[in-house]
Amino acid sequence: MSAQPDGPEDRLRRFAAIWSRAVFPLTSTSSTRPEFEEQLLPLAERLSRALVAPAFDAGEGRAVGAALVAAHCTDPEALSRSLDCVDAYLVLYCGGDGDAEALRSRSARLQHAMAAGYAQALRERTLGEQEAIAQAALRAQGVVAQALHASEARFRAVFEGAAIGIGIADLDGNILQVNGALVRMFGGSAQALRGRNVKDWTHAEDAPQVWRLYEELVRGDREHYHVEKAFYRPDGTVLWTNLTVSLLRDPEGRPQYQLALMEDTTERRLLNLRLRYEATHDALTGLPNRTLFFERLEKALGAGEGQRFGLCYLDLDGFKTINDSLGHAAGDRLLVEVADRLQSCATAPGEMVARLGGDEFVALTTGPDTQREVDELASRIMNALLAPVRIDGRELTVRGSIGIVEGPAGERSAAEVLRSADITMYRAKSAGGNRFELADPEADARAITRHGLTTALPAALDRGEFFIEYQPLVHLGDGSVRGAEALVRWLHPQHGVLGPDRFIPLAEHTGLIVPLGRWVLEQSVRQARSWRERNADAGPFRINVNLSPCQLTHPGLVQDTVDILEREGVEPDALCLEVTESALIGADDDLLKPLRRLAEMGVDIALDDFGTGYSNLANLRRLPVSILKLDRSFTQSMQQFPADPVDLKIVEGIVSLAHSLDLAVTVEGVETGAQAEQLRILGCDTAQGWYYARPGPPERLHELALVDATG
């Protein structure tokens, strides 16, 4: 029998056990290692919850770091080992089935928060010790007057046994005494340190207020101050410290000595720098990542008057194909090569390149003349991608699409700039790729509107914001209304009534066209039943419903149609499904099979927009269509008299061909009486257009069905 897989609690305890084994040897505690493991288990639980939480909470990481200090893990190596364990095992044991890259990024941020919490707790603990030492020093100084020998012994014990560095200097800055911890921090000998002057210890990274605070203290205007300060060691290396300096006064209150307490933070600082680098740079390419790029972009956008910025947003063309065909390892090597080439393109002051993720990169330039510089930067990037990349013996061609945004600082936010660049990049890609485009506010607005409509589509169907208008189909021989085409509209809360050209492509892109098309079919068939019941003596009446290419390939098309017709009690001959000619160009038997089944049931199939798809006329014989809808482009010239004789011949030929194949001909876009009469003479069967009626509510069609359309 196979072993049961470990549950979340087992994996969490295993993580805590690994953590405890790594850190326990460095703790100053009387607990046993199993007892220490039980102390770490709730900390491991907090990290696990923070790793998979919907929103990142740095407070959880800081709390875990502070708890390590409370558990007596104050050796700097204990923090380093804890972070190594979290880096190596937290995602492995606690990540579940989440996105590995996102979990590793979250883990790195938790490590940064742990280090910050650990540093803060250790600093507070150290300050407490420092205050105790300072008080002890003051008390010892006061006791000297009463019991010099006893106080000197106690002070010396505190002074020499302290874990932090302690130094005493006079008001001129001459160092008088140092303890062993301070000697070990600086290296060398106590004698060498006692020969130094405090003012000799300047460092290039000293904050401006460091020496101002020092002068205030030795003058007696300040009792103490606390700063972060760097010192040069005798061997040239740098020592970073948390430095607290206090003023010691004589019994009369006059300044006499200065007491310095130093905590060595060099390792912690290096760790923080490493974590900061990992949090702001891409692990694969070494380029700045999205976090650091946004910091730089926000800084550029916040620059003073007269400053400008230029942004190039690059997406590789066809990168997914490389990943799918050659594997992700080859794709990663390609990204590294592209990153190196981009880095070489942005070397001037004020320029930077970053990787946002996947195959998306950005290049930023700043300064007063970015209008010219950003175009040059984009050209350099395109030229850098021209040379093929050799991977595993193959030469891969690299191409990219770039969206460019340029403008003055201070007018837009970083998110708005990046959104505009992203929209512009996709505009370049849709234009064929391997090019760059400049941002266009009007194009941005259209893209944002399209996105808003796309996201609103599902809710719009649920809220009943769609409605149907009907345009009558008129028989050219006797002028009677023989049917109507159903045309869906969207009553948008902000944009008003939208025609199908505004939202049908979006519905096809998102897949919503299937439920929307089913709803249109259901409403139209129900309306057809109502018309037939109210106008039983008016002859056969048919409703035309458009089918998109996505609906044609949906496996439920036939069954949905049958169910709707049966539920509404409508015969199949009352329905005509319109399919565009372009959707059937090169259609195989699998695509035509559902249309054939519907045609066999008695549903009419109309070939819409006939003449625009450049299809082979011989294909008409194998298509299950019974009606040709002639595109309006062939009949527009007939609106005027005399009509173009070439168009007349073309239409006459199409009508003759259709009738020879037993196909009826419908013409759309009829707008004048002369046009309608000419089409009747040419033998067209039915027509629709504004000459007869514009699309409208079903009530209007009831009225038209009762009277002669030509009367």
Side-chain angles (χ1 to χ4, degrees), residues 52-66:
V52 298
F56 176 70
D57 184 2
E60 289 293 306
R62 289 194 294 269
V64 171

Side-chain angles (χ1 to χ4, degrees), residues 527 530-532 534-535 541 697-707:
Q527 191 61 56
S530 174
W531 280 325
R532 286 200 168 189
R534 295 178 61 176
N535 303 284
F541 195 94
E699 294 77 14
R700 184 186 302 170
L701 200 61
H702 283 307
E703 300 170 1
L704 292 173
L706 297 175
V707 298

